[in-house]
Amino acid sequence: MAGRVAVVTGGSRGIGAAIAVALKNAGYKVAVNYGGNDEAAKAFTQQTGIPAYKWDVSDFAACEAGIKKVAADLGAPVEILVNNAGITRDGTMHRMTFEQWNAVIQTNLGSCFNMCRAVIEPMRARKFGRIVNIGSINGQAGQYGQVNYAAAKSGIHGFTKALAQEGAALGITVNAIAPGYIDTDMVRAVPPNVLEKIVAKIPVGRLGKAEEIARGVVFLVADDAGFVTGSTLSINGGQHMY
Ligand code: CAA
């Protein structure tokens, strides 16, 4: 329903920014969260008119405070949550540090708990909610050099199915999208020789576009998508059919 309040984490750049813009265009009142890049967030708000709020999604108390502030500023409780924020700290296991492991687990997976915990009680009270968690092809299939990221993203897929069961009778749907390799800063950071080999294995023959993920989110958060819950929508150019 137009006018519902939506929050997109990691929403000032990349896939999150495309999701925020698509939700705004669909008539929702959107706010984005971002973690660090003030300049990008400022530019995003200037271009789109979508307010950006800075907090660390791996910090439980910060998520609770952030959600409260967005709801107060936008004048209604958060009914749509897109957990998109994520980082990579790639490296093979024998070189990976505990810090690389922990940062990815806390930011990519811990954030889903922190953010969902902050919105779940009002959603239960209102008997309506839409939660979309952004997983990854690499959580489904694994990826060389990504035990941390694959574990976190795989965790997101399990988290989604468990919370979907809890929300189902209360009008709260919880779904995941598993993007493949999308043309964003994160993917551009993959060494070019490695990326070339990955793209060669994508049947569609190219990287995806952030807008192609946003399209899936708009579908999943719609009021008339209430029978779609606990599902994973793979948007990966045919790279992994699962
Ligand atoms: N499968 C098998 N072997 C592989 C491999 C793979 N996928 N990738 C690399 N190797 C091999 C290399 O061929 C090389 O072997 P040789 O020494 O025999 O030549 C060996 O592993 C070491 O490779 P590198 O020189 O690349 O090693 P490195 O230590 O410099 O870097 C790495 C390792 C950091 C993992 C690097 O390969 C890398 O960044 N890979 C990309 C990982 C990736 O795909 N990340 C995705 C980021 S985007 C994302 O995560 C978004 C999303 O959701 C899809």
Side-chain angles (χ1 to χ4, degrees), residues 114-205:
N114 298 341
M115 291 297 294
C116 287
R117 189 67 186 81
V119 298
I120 201 72
E121 285 181 75
M123 285 182 178
R124 288 170 62 90
R126 293 165 73 87
K127 297 209 166 21
F128 182 87
R130 295 281 181 268
I131 296 171
V132 179
N133 299 317
I134 304 299
S136 169
I137 186 174
N138 294 348
Q140 296 170 310
Q143 169 62 32
Y144 188 103
Q146 281 201 313
V147 293
N148 49 3
Y149 188 89
K153 292 296 189 177
S154 189
I156 285 178
H157 293 299
F159 178 102
T160 298
K161 292 179 212 177
L163 188 56
Q165 293 181 30
E166 295 184 15
L170 293 165
I172 303 166
T173 68
V174 189
N175 292 286
I177 292 184
Y181 282 72
I182 308 300
D183 190 6
T184 60
D185 292 344
M186 183 184 274
V187 166
R188 273 180 236 124
V190 174
N193 59 324
V194 177
L195 190 57
E196 207 175 286
K197 285 186 200 144
I198 291 170
V199 175
K201 288 190 190 142
I202 303 175
V204 169

Side-chain angles (χ1 to χ4, degrees), residues 8-11 13 33-36 55-60 63 82-89 98-116 133-135 148-149 151-153 155-156 159 186:
V8 182
T9 66
R13 293 189 293 136
N33 146 275
Y34 72 101
W55 76 82
D56 176 358
V57 288
S58 71
D59 178 336
F60 181 77
C63 290
V82 183
N83 285 311
N84 164 78
I87 58 170
T88 52
R89 295 287 183 270
F98 175 75
E99 286 70 29
Q100 284 175 298
W101 163 260
N102 203 40
V104 170
I105 296 295
Q106 295 309 328
T107 301
N108 298 11
L109 180 58
S111 60
C112 289
F113 175 77
N114 298 341
M115 291 297 294
C116 287
N133 299 317
I134 304 299
N148 49 3
Y149 188 89
K153 292 296 189 177
I156 285 178
F159 178 102
M186 183 184 274

